[in-house]
Amino acid sequence: MQKERSEVNTLEKSLESMSRQEVEDFLYKEGDLLDHWKLDEWLTLYTEDAQYLIPTNDLRAGDPENDLVYINHDFERLQALVVRLNNSRAHREYPWSRTTHLITNVRLLGVEEECLMITAPFMVWRFRNKDAEYFVGHYRYALKLGGGQLKIRSKHILMDMTSLRPAGAISIIL
């Protein structure tokens, strides 16, 4: 009964009335799904017109249409990424890395173009074999309500690291 009441409340919510705690819980859920390699479930958090973008460290405001970026995935490419990472032939991530996604200081910036704009610093630790690597930066999310649930319209990842050298490559989902 409590769960049903919660689902009804979410359906009646608007982006403007979302609390920081609700948004934080959503972001923590995303991190938890990634840390437990529940990639198919993670993908359901995204809208079908989603963008997952990581510009280069030296050009954080880079436009993927005109500038080199590390990653610029639409929903179709995210689907392909999930298929690849779930496959034992993905040599870079099999056996799977252990990851820990840490998210803090979540700020709700307001609603723009039917999306709730969010920013939050992050640190992601990746452990594989005897290696430990980290990624540090800021997330910028645009969240939408779809089917009464929060969905990620865009996730823009700004790296605070001056280079990827400590981490080597981005082979995990940040």
Side-chain angles (χ1 to χ4, degrees):
M1 177 125 166
Q2 182 73 8
K3 185 177 180 182
E4 290 174 12
R5 196 172 297 145
S6 173
E7 289 174 8
V8 169
N9 289 343
T10 303
L11 290 172
E12 295 172 357
K13 281 225 173 253
S14 67
L15 289 173
E16 291 85 1
S17 66
M18 283 287 177
S19 71
R20 186 175 67 225
Q21 181 177 356
E22 289 172 302
V23 172
E24 285 175 345
D25 287 345
F26 178 78
L27 299 182
Y28 298 157
K29 176 182 178 178
E30 182 194 19
D32 186 64
L33 291 172
L34 291 170
D35 290 343
H36 290 95
W37 283 85
K38 294 180 179 180
L39 302 182
D40 293 311
E41 192 174 341
W42 167 80
L43 191 59
T44 67
L45 300 179
Y46 282 76
T47 63
E48 291 187 13
D49 61 345
Q51 180 185 37
Y52 177 89
L53 176 66
I54 306 177
T56 59
N57 302 25
D58 61 339
L59 190 57
R60 291 165 46 104
D63 172 13
E65 296 295 321
N66 301 308
D67 302 309
L68 180 66
V69 297
Y70 290 131
I71 296 172
N72 181 24
H73 288 346
D74 59 13
F75 187 75
E76 192 173 305
R77 282 190 149 176
L78 287 175
Q79 288 176 310
L81 175 64
V82 166
V83 168
R84 188 172 68 249
L85 289 176
N86 278 331
N87 189 320
S88 62
R89 292 187 205 154
H91 71 280
R92 185 79 168 119
E93 280 304 323
Y94 193 84
W96 294 331
S97 296
R98 287 180 296 134
T99 61
T100 302
H101 286 72
L102 304 172
I103 303 163
T104 187
N105 299 343
V106 175
R107 294 184 50 225
L108 284 60
L109 304 177
V111 177
E112 296 177 15
E113 298 178 22
E114 299 181 20
C115 290
L116 180 59
M117 307 307 290
I118 309 295
T119 185
F122 74 87
M123 177 180 280
V124 177
W125 283 94
R126 174 183 182 256
F127 304 95
R128 185 158 190 269
N129 300 323
K130 295 180 181 181
D131 296 328
E133 303 167 335
Y134 59 89
F135 300 87
V136 180
H138 285 77
Y139 291 135
R140 290 188 184 164
Y141 285 93
L143 303 179
K144 290 183 99 167
L145 278 175
Q149 302 294 320
L150 277 177
K151 296 275 188 173
I152 300 169
R153 166 60 186 90
S154 72
K155 184 175 181 180
H156 192 151
I157 300 165
L158 300 173
M159 305 294 279
D160 287 341
M161 305 155 53
T162 55
S163 75
L164 284 181
R165 187 51 19 231
I170 305 171
S171 63
I172 58 170
I173 299 171
L174 298 177

